[in-house]
């Protein structure tokens, strides 16, 4: 049975006195990837909040109050999995983690592409390098708590790698992409002198955030239990298993089933 999934995708470029180009493009790209799996089946039902250039003082401005409202709303949905993606100014809203910890949704993933985003989840009253997350919550951030997030051309470096991971770069042999595999993919690509992404999680299971075309088709994987029905089973092979266009060694006969 497929999981019910909901996502809030936020990209804010325009702030009073400053402009962060690329955040809207990052958010729309993430939304497109999350909305559909590789086979075009439905994935996350996405709500999008965008603040392009020219909205900082207009009626469509995304305020902290409005963002807080949408975060609370998405985390109140009756779904199996929720995801929040934010690209914008490096002002950490610690309330996000509070709402996630209080939510009844079994699995929640928070992805933040912002300067100093590694502070998210920290508990200053205890120690800033400690996080308190209830089971089922995972946080992936673009940088540590004292680093800026780098832009590359008109895109964020971090989000471009996250998108590459969602497109299949972080998929396992079955094609599943999880929050942990995204972090592993991004962390390996970024060099030692680049910003360091952070991953904080308290999870007992990792369901797929997106399904890509598998390296090995599912119907082929299912045959493994036919060939290896018991632990430490050895599947004996003879020349009849090797397709050779009809030229079999003496004493063997063609066997289409074995060749397949």
């Amino acid at each position: 049975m497929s999981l019910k999934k909901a996502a809030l995708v936020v990209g804010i470029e325009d702030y009073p006195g400053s402009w962060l180009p690329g955040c809207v493009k990052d958010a729309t790209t993430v939304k497109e990837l999350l909305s559909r799996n590789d086979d075009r089946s439905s994935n996350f039902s996405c709500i999008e909040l965008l603040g392009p250039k020219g909205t900082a003082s207009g009626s469509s401005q995304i305020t902290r109050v409005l963002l807080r409202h949408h975060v609370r709303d998405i985390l109140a949905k009756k779904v199996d999995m929720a995801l929040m993606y934010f690209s914008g100014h490096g002002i950490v809203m610690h309330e996000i983690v509070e709402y996630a910890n209080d939510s009844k949704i079994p699995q929640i993933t928070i992805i933040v592409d912002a300067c100093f985003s590694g502070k998210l989840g920290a508990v200053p009253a205890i120690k800033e390098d400690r996080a308190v997350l209830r089971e089922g919550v995972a946080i992936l951030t673009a940088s540590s708590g004292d680093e800026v997030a780098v832009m590359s051309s008109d895109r964020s470096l971090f989000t471009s790698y996250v998108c590459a991971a969602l497109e299949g770069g972080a998929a396992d042999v079955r094609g599943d992409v999880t929050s942990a595999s995204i972090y592993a993919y991004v962390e390996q690509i970024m060099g030692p002198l680049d910003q360091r992404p952070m991953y904080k999680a308290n999870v007992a299971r990792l369901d797929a955030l997106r399904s890509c075309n598998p390296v090995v088709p599912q119907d082929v994987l299912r045959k493994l239990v036919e060939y290896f029905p018991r632990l430490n089973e050895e599947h004996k092979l003879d020349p009849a298993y090797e397709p050779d266009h009809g030229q079999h060694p003496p004493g063997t006969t063609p066997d289409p089933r074995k060749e397949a």
Side-chain angles (χ1 to χ4, degrees), residues 198-245:
M198 295 192 69
Y199 184 64
K200 306 173 185 179
N202 180 11
V203 292
R205 56 180 292 180
L206 286 168
D207 286 318
L209 298 181
R210 190 170 190 266
S211 296
C212 301
N213 295 324
V215 176
V216 181
Q218 293 285 352
D219 59 337
V220 173
L221 287 175
R222 293 190 186 100
K223 292 182 179 179
L224 286 174
V225 293
E226 298 176 20
Y227 298 135
F228 305 95
R230 292 177 298 276
L231 187 65
N232 299 323
E233 178 87 9
E234 291 187 10
H235 193 81
K236 302 291 186 180
L237 299 179
D238 59 52
Y241 281 90
E242 185 174 354
D244 58 4
H245 308 290

Side-chain angles (χ1 to χ4, degrees), residues 58-230:
S59 59
S60 58
Q61 179 186 8
I62 301 176
T63 62
R64 183 179 288 263
V65 173
L66 178 63
L67 181 57
R68 188 181 293 115
H69 166 77
H70 280 279
V71 170
R72 281 200 300 256
D73 183 65
I74 203 76
L75 292 177
K77 301 293 185 186
K78 296 185 182 300
V79 294
D80 304 299
M81 181 184 292
L83 183 146
M84 288 176 289
Y85 168 86
F86 175 84
S87 177
H89 205 290
I91 299 176
V92 178
M93 283 183 61
H94 291 283
E95 301 102 307
I96 293 176
V97 177
E98 295 176 12
Y99 299 150
N101 282 339
D102 291 338
S103 173
K104 297 184 183 302
I105 298 174
Q107 298 186 65
I108 298 173
T109 301
I110 302 170
I111 303 176
V112 179
D113 190 350
C115 297
F116 320 118
S117 51
K119 292 180 180 179
L120 189 65
V123 185
I126 301 175
K127 196 174 180 181
E128 288 199 355
D129 62 352
R130 308 285 173 87
V132 178
L133 303 175
R134 60 96 164 160
E135 186 175 317
V137 177
I139 300 174
L140 177 59
T141 65
S143 63
S144 67
D146 57 0
E147 290 179 317
V148 298
V150 178
M151 296 292 295
S152 177
S153 184
D154 62 342
R155 293 286 306 280
S156 156
L157 193 66
F158 172 74
T159 294
S160 65
Y161 293 154
V162 168
C163 289
L166 288 169
E167 288 170 345
D172 62 16
V173 68
R174 296 176 302 172
D176 290 343
V177 179
T178 67
S179 61
S181 68
I182 292 175
Y183 168 72
Y185 178 87
V186 174
E187 193 276 333
Q188 288 294 314
I189 289 179
M190 286 187 163
L193 300 181
D194 293 328
Q195 68 200 56
R196 302 312 304 161
M198 295 192 69
Y199 184 64
K200 306 173 185 179
N202 180 11
V203 292
R205 56 180 292 180
L206 286 168
D207 286 318
L209 298 181
R210 190 170 190 266
S211 296
C212 301
N213 295 324
V215 176
V216 181
Q218 293 285 352
D219 59 337
V220 173
L221 287 175
R222 293 190 186 100
K223 292 182 179 179
L224 286 174
V225 293
E226 298 176 20
Y227 298 135
F228 305 95
R230 292 177 298 276

Side-chain angles (χ1 to χ4, degrees), residues 14-27:
D14 209 352
Y15 295 85
S18 64
W19 177 46
L20 294 176
C23 296
V24 168
K25 185 175 181 180
D26 283 339

